[in-house]
Amino acid sequence: MLPLSVSRQLVACSSSLSARRSQTFKAFYATIRSLREAPPVDVEDITPDNDFILSILRANASSRDAKPYFASFGPRPQPPRPVSSLPDREKSIPIETPPVSDQPKVNPLIASIIDPVIRRTALVKVQGPFTQTQLDSIARGMVYLEKLGLVSVIVIENDDIRRGEQDSRSAIIEDTMRLVSFLEKHGARARPVLGAVVRLGPKPDGPEIQQDFFPLEAHTLPSDLIPIRSALRSGEIPVIPPFALDSFCRSIRIDANDVLGALARGMAEAGPQSSPQEGASTDASAEASGDVDLTPLRLMIINREGGVPSYARSGYPHLLINLDSESKHIHETFQESWRHTHKTALSNLALAKTCLAYMPPTSSAVMVSHRSQSSLIGNLITNRPAVSSSLPHALLQGNRKLTPHTPTLIRRGLAIRVVRTVDEIDRTKMNALLEQSFGRSLEEVEFYNRLKHTLDFVIIAGDYAGAAIVTNEPCPNLSQPISYLDKFAVLPSHQGDGTVDFLWVALHDESYGLGHPSSANPNGGKEGQGEGRDLVWRSRVNNPVNKWYFERSSGHVRLGDWVLFWCDAEKRLKTEQGRRGRGGLSYVEDWEVGRLSAWTDIVQKIPSSWRK
């Protein structure tokens, strides 16, 4: 949570404060006090500059959250300058220090976000039709992203203008020019690129990647990207209608998804037009020349439907999608009624899968309604969903930020699998994962000997990019063993790319979430079948991850240098809540008596896995 002082500093650095300064400050204060329960702010009371800053505040980004943003948009580390030694005579000369300014200093985190050094590109699909007001709001969001260093390459689509209809071409061009005018209205420079920038058919003699989607219906050559690169170098946002050159060099209208797929591949291959060995010198020259790396960092799909509806959330959108392991399941559970309310959800999901295959591994796609386009700023800064998908299901259902217009964040993701014996574990890779994640040396022999007697299951993400190890700890005071989360680890290189959430969702589905509709995901385990069990784990009191654990646990208790966390079995908890009705669960139930003391006794006796 950002401190109140940061909001005051932001107000001080804003270039134009309106006469309603006090009302604006109150909006800042309400946002900072509680982002979960902040009342909606009337945009009529906020000037454009303050609206932009408020959007940054709403992202609720800590320094840790914003690391991916700074890695992409911040200055490259410079080698330290050598300190020249001065003669003794010069050292004694007094140096006049400039007077200290009384102006309030801006928080470095916010200042860096507002003043990016490197510019990157995003592919944006603006999928209308939109009203004038809606298009104006979308254009304002694109301008805000440009201020943060993300320059949009926009492709226009209009679902109401069918291909082949009379005057469809001129209607699409008109939509293109409308968006250009709105972008310029909000202070951006925009360029309509009305000529075709892609060509029909597969790319001739082009290198292919391993892909499990349909081949691209269009491609680009380096010369086709000249208008886009020229616009970006001139500080302009290119706006492109979905045209392509056919084999007779005629410009025809095609599906915008084919244009975006071709651009994703072509722009990724073109990149910054530099060889890898040029390294940091290339980055420096790009900064100096104002050039833009063409490699797309984001894919943004702005439409009227919003994200992909989820069967587990009563049709509310998926929050985060792991394409590698969830695509097939999403298609299988897509309800017939959604084919009318979310007509393009599956085709846009396929578009994301195509584009992300060519974009960098850290890239993401976001599907968002025009009503929630301001959330794109939070996604850019943190590269995470608006609401974490690994939060308890009950909390997600009651969260005011979860609406039919909540964006869906999509990542290439990782395969998820579940193993149930120690022999199925690759010890070399598991050891490397645990030691890199915890920064300590593992007592390998003792650790695996204990797992041979207590292991319940291990969830593995990708090629040991992350793992959750759950054991059965015998407890004579309870009718069944304690389900204990022994290790939860993610490689440092995968922290911030969604692996943590993917892994925790799979852990939920395999343990305390069993029997709940939201647990029937294809995570390689029981797929929702069975009875959920309380999940228990411990963490040292100074563990920086504890804040994340607090949000996901049902309860916790302090045990000296440790904190004991637990998650109640969701199916049983829901049954008890239904039985109690409005009485809630305000006091200890019969099934809860004695379990906390039993957990404490057993968990405190579990030996350490690390060398001293």
Side-chain angles (χ1 to χ4, degrees):
M1 189 71 68
L2 290 170
L4 183 57
S5 59
V6 174
S7 67
R8 289 172 175 159
Q9 294 162 356
L10 283 169
V11 175
C13 77
S14 177
S15 58
S16 60
L17 287 176
S18 68
R20 301 176 181 180
R21 182 168 183 171
S22 61
Q23 287 89 341
T24 303
F25 180 79
K26 290 177 183 176
F28 286 156
Y29 182 74
T31 302
I32 294 167
R33 284 185 60 192
S34 175
L35 286 172
R36 280 190 183 178
E37 301 179 0
V41 179
D42 186 359
V43 295
E44 297 296 331
D45 289 339
I46 302 173
T47 64
D49 283 343
N50 288 339
D51 186 26
F52 171 52
I53 294 174
L54 185 58
S55 298
I56 297 176
L57 281 171
R58 281 179 176 145
N60 195 26
S62 64
S63 298
R64 179 189 180 97
D65 296 332
K67 278 184 180 179
Y69 172 83
F70 292 129
S72 298
F73 297 89
R76 297 294 181 265
Q78 300 295 328
R81 295 181 180 179
V83 180
S84 58
S85 56
L86 297 175
D88 291 339
R89 182 176 56 84
E90 296 183 14
K91 288 181 182 177
S92 61
I93 298 176
I95 300 175
E96 247 182 65
T97 57
V100 179
S101 173
D102 293 332
Q103 294 294 327
K105 295 181 179 179
V106 180
N107 180 278
L109 173 64
I110 304 299
S112 300
I113 290 175
I114 294 176
D115 187 21
V117 173
I118 298 176
R119 294 189 298 159
R120 303 287 186 180
T121 57
L123 281 172
V124 181
K125 177 184 179 183
V126 176
Q127 182 182 340
F130 293 114
T131 65
Q132 296 286 98
T133 302
Q134 292 165 351
L135 208 58
D136 181 78
S137 175
I138 292 170
R140 184 170 63 248
M142 297 298 98
V143 173
Y144 287 173
L145 292 175
E146 186 188 32
K147 290 180 180 180
L148 294 172
L150 191 71
V151 186
S152 302
V153 176
I154 302 174
V155 178
I156 296 293
E157 184 60 289
N158 189 318
D159 293 338
D160 285 355
I161 304 176
R162 298 182 180 179
R163 282 180 286 167
E165 288 185 348
Q166 187 177 8
D167 298 329
S168 66
R169 181 183 177 89
S170 58
I172 283 291
I173 291 177
E174 184 179 343
D175 277 0
T176 303
M177 300 307 297
R178 284 172 62 208
L179 182 56
V180 168
S181 65
F182 278 117
L183 289 168
E184 293 182 337
K185 169 190 170 184
H186 289 288
R189 297 170 61 192
R191 179 189 298 188
V193 182
L194 302 181
V197 295
V198 303
R199 302 164 187 258
L200 281 181
K203 189 169 186 177
D205 304 323
E208 292 295 331
I209 67 170
Q210 290 296 112
Q211 56 189 31
D212 57 352
F213 50 82
F214 293 108
L216 295 175
E217 297 293 332
H219 68 279
T220 64
L221 299 178
S223 58
D224 298 326
L225 299 176
I226 289 176
I228 295 177
R229 192 181 287 276
S230 172
L232 296 175
R233 282 176 171 168
S234 301
E236 298 170 328
I237 298 175
V239 186
I240 306 167
F243 299 152
L245 290 177
D246 65 8
S247 56
F248 297 99
C249 291
R250 296 175 301 191
S251 176
I252 62 172
R253 184 188 170 196
I254 65 172
D255 192 303
N257 286 6
D258 294 328
V259 176
L260 287 156
L263 287 177
R265 178 178 181 178
M267 291 170 64
E269 290 175 353
Q273 286 190 336
S274 62
S275 57
Q277 58 266 29
E278 289 176 341
S281 61
T282 302
D283 292 326
S285 62
E287 292 174 32
S289 65
D291 204 357
V292 178
D293 185 347
L294 279 187
T295 307
L297 199 67
R298 295 283 193 280
L299 170 68
M300 299 177 177
I301 301 168
I302 304 174
N303 56 25
R304 295 175 299 166
E305 304 169 1
V308 182
S310 168
Y311 73 98
R313 298 199 171 92
S314 304
Y316 277 18
H318 283 272
L319 299 173
L320 177 64
I321 292 178
N322 180 345
L323 285 173
D324 195 296
S325 65
E326 296 179 39
S327 294
K328 182 180 177 182
H329 186 65
I330 290 173
H331 280 78
E332 291 173 348
T333 57
F334 199 83
Q335 297 178 10
E336 191 62 32
S337 60
W338 298 339
R339 299 185 186 277
H340 302 284
T341 59
H342 296 74
K343 296 179 181 179
T344 61
L346 295 181
S347 62
N348 281 331
L349 187 65
L351 169 65
K353 191 169 189 178
T354 299
C355 293
L356 289 176
Y358 296 103
M359 293 161 65
T362 55
S363 300
S364 62
V366 60
M367 291 173 59
V368 60
S369 160
H370 63 87
R371 297 174 183 269
S372 304
Q373 53 79 27
S374 61
S375 63
L376 294 175
I377 287 182
N379 169 254
L380 171 62
I381 297 173
T382 65
N383 204 12
R384 67 184 186 188
V387 182
S388 175
S389 59
S390 61
L391 288 169
H393 189 75
L395 181 57
L396 285 174
Q397 292 297 90
N399 196 310
R400 291 175 57 185
K401 292 174 70 175
L402 187 61
T403 72
H405 302 285
T406 302
T408 295
L409 184 68
I410 306 168
R411 288 187 175 275
R412 191 186 306 176
L414 298 165
I416 302 290
R417 60 192 177 98
V418 179
V419 302
R420 301 191 179 277
T421 65
V422 176
D423 294 337
E424 296 177 87
I425 301 174
D426 186 322
R427 296 193 182 189
T428 302
K429 293 180 178 179
M430 180 63 78
N431 294 351
L433 165 62
L434 296 178
E435 292 184 349
Q436 288 184 49
S437 178
F438 287 90
R440 304 180 68 181
S441 298
L442 188 69
E443 286 281 7
E444 183 178 351
V445 176
E446 290 82 352
F447 177 67
Y448 288 105
N449 282 342
R450 201 178 84 79
L451 289 186
K452 286 180 181 178
H453 298 94
T454 61
L455 181 65
D456 187 3
F457 61 86
V458 181
I459 301 174
I460 301 169
D463 189 19
Y464 287 82
I469 301 175
V470 177
T471 60
N472 287 318
E473 302 297 334
C475 181
N477 298 330
L478 298 176
S479 58
Q480 61 179 347
I482 296 173
S483 185
Y484 177 69
L485 178 58
D486 191 280
K487 294 288 184 290
F488 186 84
V490 174
L491 285 175
S493 58
H494 283 268
Q495 292 174 6
D497 69 355
T499 302
V500 171
D501 277 333
F502 294 143
L503 191 60
W504 193 272
V505 169
L507 175 64
H508 161 275
D509 295 351
E510 199 66 15
S511 58
Y512 65 97
L514 278 175
H516 198 280
S518 66
S519 298
N521 295 308
N523 288 321
K526 297 180 179 179
E527 298 189 3
Q529 301 299 315
E531 292 294 325
R533 297 170 57 193
D534 301 332
L535 182 69
V536 181
W537 71 99
R538 68 182 180 183
S539 175
R540 291 199 176 273
V541 293
N542 58 351
N543 188 344
V545 184
N546 284 346
K547 178 181 180 294
W548 197 81
Y549 287 153
F550 287 137
E551 294 172 346
R552 281 149 188 81
S553 62
S554 301
H556 67 276
V557 64
R558 177 77 175 263
L559 301 176
D561 294 334
W562 298 90
V563 180
L564 176 72
F565 294 93
W566 70 88
C567 287
D568 292 305
E570 287 192 341
K571 183 179 179 181
R572 184 184 64 232
L573 199 61
K574 190 174 183 65
T575 302
E576 292 292 338
Q577 286 175 329
R579 181 177 63 82
R580 290 290 307 281
R582 294 186 177 181
L585 295 174
S586 58
Y587 57 83
V588 177
E589 297 284 332
D590 293 340
W591 51 270
E592 292 183 283
V593 174
R595 66 171 185 165
L596 187 57
S597 60
W599 290 345
T600 302
D601 291 341
I602 298 300
V603 168
Q604 286 183 322
K605 295 175 183 177
I606 296 176
S608 172
S609 308
W610 310 108
R611 294 176 186 171
K612 295 181 180 179

